[in-house]
Amino acid sequence: MKIHEFQAKEILRRHGVPTPRGRIARTPEEAGQIAGELGGEVSVVKAQIHAGGRGKGGGIRLARSAAEAAAHARAMLGMPLVTHQTGPAGRTVRKVLVEEGLDIDREFYLAVTLDRAAAAPVVIASLDGGVEIEKVAAERPDAIRKVWADPLLGLSPFRARRLAFGLGLEGKTAGRFAGFVTALFEAFLTNDGSLAEINPLVLTRAGDLLALDAKMTFDDNALFRHPDLRALRDLDEEDPLETEASRHDLSYIKLAGSVGCMVNGAGLAMATMDIIKLAGAMPANFLDVGGGTDPGKVASAFRILTSDADVQAVLINIFGGIVRCDRVAAGVIQALQSVRLRVPVVVRLEGTNAREAARMLEESTLEFVVAQGMEDAAEKVVAALPRRAPEGEAR
């Protein structure tokens, strides 16, 4: 689960991570009032959406008066902010964060995330703050420093100091940086985070370290332990289809293609998307109905698939290991009896009760294209698309 920058900073402050002074505003008048109360020569007005690259899209602006802060907020609120992470439609700005300006001396990158290969949390730091870490990793991998925390003992103080020394920091600055790292790691661990990113972490001319920006995401499977975090979820920032899928406990992610996919098991779902691309098209989604599914859940998944206007054909690819193929077939039939079918559907069912499922589909009088094997299924669903060649070339 993602949260806004201002929410992430509230959590970080609770764990001793210093951040600039500021408050959230939902109207231009509030933004102007906050800027006036902050004082100082400069304040910063920052659009709050779940995407990076806001500055390049005009979502972060400096204000040298309360009136200018109000004007910036007026221009941002309600506008679709387009960044490299939002897609061409952008995200509507519904609130802005107004913060004090800082006298910045240096900028760093700092993050805590999970290293799945090492099966441990990893702290990543770089002297190149304020830029995309992926770009730094590609162009200057030597500029990145990492230390790993022990899964049981956490992050030892000496590892935090090693990270500071690795960046060339000395004296009090190195000590403050190590303390900052320790506090950030505590916030990450305590809240079951999957990412806690500060970009940039700034060193002011007065020698203070502050999180100028902050991004946090959390493990959805751990949210039952954190009702306070669940309350921070902003449904306006999520795709409506993904929101609907979460209500039915479905693993669904919308993508940019035209072939809707319904699959059981994450590995099979990934393989299905790959083979669709090999056949010359692009998947419109990732959708895993799970191992212990039932007809009602399958019906809900099918309704979500077909409500996506970008879907021009559907591929149902089920291997009956844990889930029985006849239960999937029952769910598809149930869905098609209540949903007007507007696109061709290709079905590939293998495994437990596959013959029973095939008989159910045949007796339903509904229109399906039956496939034998994954390659055959991918070729048939791509052939069913109204415009096959342009999609494979354009994407």
Side-chain angles (χ1 to χ4, degrees):
M1 186 188 80
K2 297 180 181 179
I3 60 175
H4 288 290
E5 173 195 0
F6 78 95
Q7 295 169 325
K9 286 180 174 177
E10 289 173 1
I11 293 171
L12 293 177
R13 283 193 290 268
R14 293 203 295 263
H15 293 274
V17 177
T19 68
R21 293 180 301 125
R23 297 203 311 276
I24 200 70
R26 291 174 173 81
T27 67
E29 293 74 21
E30 286 181 346
Q33 179 182 349
I34 294 169
E37 293 173 356
L38 289 173
E41 297 181 1
V42 178
S43 60
V44 186
V45 183
K46 310 174 77 175
Q48 298 297 285
I49 62 170
H50 288 180
R54 292 170 297 163
K56 296 178 182 178
I60 299 178
R61 307 183 188 183
L62 298 179
R64 289 172 173 78
S65 68
E68 190 175 5
H72 287 329
R74 187 172 292 107
M76 290 184 195
L77 291 168
M79 82 169 187
L81 180 57
V82 179
T83 78
H84 67 285
Q85 293 185 4
T86 64
R91 295 275 178 84
T92 301
V93 180
R94 293 178 171 83
K95 54 185 80 72
V96 295
L97 175 62
V98 184
E99 288 188 329
E100 63 178 334
L102 300 175
D103 188 10
I104 299 173
D105 181 34
R106 301 173 67 182
E107 296 185 355
F108 307 90
Y109 175 91
L110 181 64
V112 185
T113 188
L114 293 173
D115 184 338
R116 299 188 183 279
V122 59
V123 185
I124 307 169
S126 172
L127 292 172
D128 295 326
V131 298
E132 298 171 14
I133 193 63
E134 295 84 0
K135 183 177 180 181
V136 177
E139 298 178 357
R140 299 180 56 239
D142 58 313
I144 297 177
R145 297 288 182 270
K146 299 179 182 180
V147 295
W148 284 262
D150 186 283
L152 283 178
L153 302 178
L155 185 69
S156 303
F158 84 89
R159 295 187 188 275
R161 292 193 297 270
R162 177 191 295 174
L163 195 62
F165 297 147
L167 294 177
L169 302 179
E170 300 176 345
K172 292 183 179 179
T173 302
R176 289 173 180 170
F177 186 90
F180 193 105
V181 170
T182 301
L184 181 64
F185 182 82
E186 180 187 339
F188 170 85
L189 194 65
T190 303
N191 294 284
D192 288 301
S194 54
L195 173 69
E197 182 182 63
I198 311 298
N199 188 24
L201 162 62
V202 298
L203 174 66
T204 67
R205 298 191 188 279
D208 297 319
L209 286 165
L210 299 97
L212 192 64
D213 194 5
K215 177 189 295 184
M216 293 191 76
T217 61
F218 306 96
D219 184 350
D220 292 347
N221 295 316
L223 288 177
F224 72 94
R225 293 198 291 239
H226 306 282
D228 56 325
L229 296 181
R230 293 180 65 177
L232 300 180
R233 184 179 181 187
D234 187 347
L235 297 181
D236 290 330
E237 291 292 316
E238 299 180 16
D239 185 284
L241 294 178
E242 294 182 9
T243 303
E244 178 65 16
S246 68
R247 295 193 181 103
H248 298 282
D249 196 26
L250 294 167
S251 298
Y252 174 91
I253 300 173
K254 180 169 167 49
L255 302 173
S258 59
V259 178
C261 307
M262 182 193 299
V263 192
N264 66 316
L268 184 58
M270 298 295 289
T272 300
M273 293 191 294
D274 286 343
I275 203 166
I276 288 172
K277 292 183 69 173
L278 286 173
M282 292 288 285
N285 63 271
F286 170 97
L287 173 55
D288 174 12
V289 296
T293 191
D294 56 60
K297 193 173 179 181
V298 171
S300 298
F302 198 87
R303 282 194 293 269
I304 291 169
L305 278 185
T306 54
S307 64
D308 182 355
D310 294 330
V311 170
Q312 299 176 8
V314 172
L315 172 56
I316 300 173
N317 187 16
I318 300 296
F319 178 77
I322 300 175
V323 63
R324 288 166 23 196
C325 292
D326 59 313
R327 297 183 69 132
V328 175
V332 173
I333 293 169
Q334 177 182 324
L336 290 181
Q337 288 173 342
S338 59
V339 177
R340 182 179 178 182
L341 187 62
R342 60 176 179 81
V343 297
V345 178
V346 176
V347 181
R348 179 252 180 176
L349 300 174
E350 295 287 351
T352 307
N353 288 4
R355 291 183 180 179
E356 174 68 11
R359 182 188 61 77
M360 293 170 62
L361 294 176
E362 290 174 1
E363 295 177 354
S364 69
T365 70
L366 299 170
E367 294 186 9
F368 295 97
V369 176
V370 178
Q372 302 297 326
M374 286 183 60
E375 184 177 3
D376 182 48
E379 291 176 352
K380 285 181 175 176
V381 77
V382 172
L385 291 171
R387 291 176 293 177
R388 176 182 176 184
E391 184 192 2
E393 295 170 3
R395 298 181 188 276

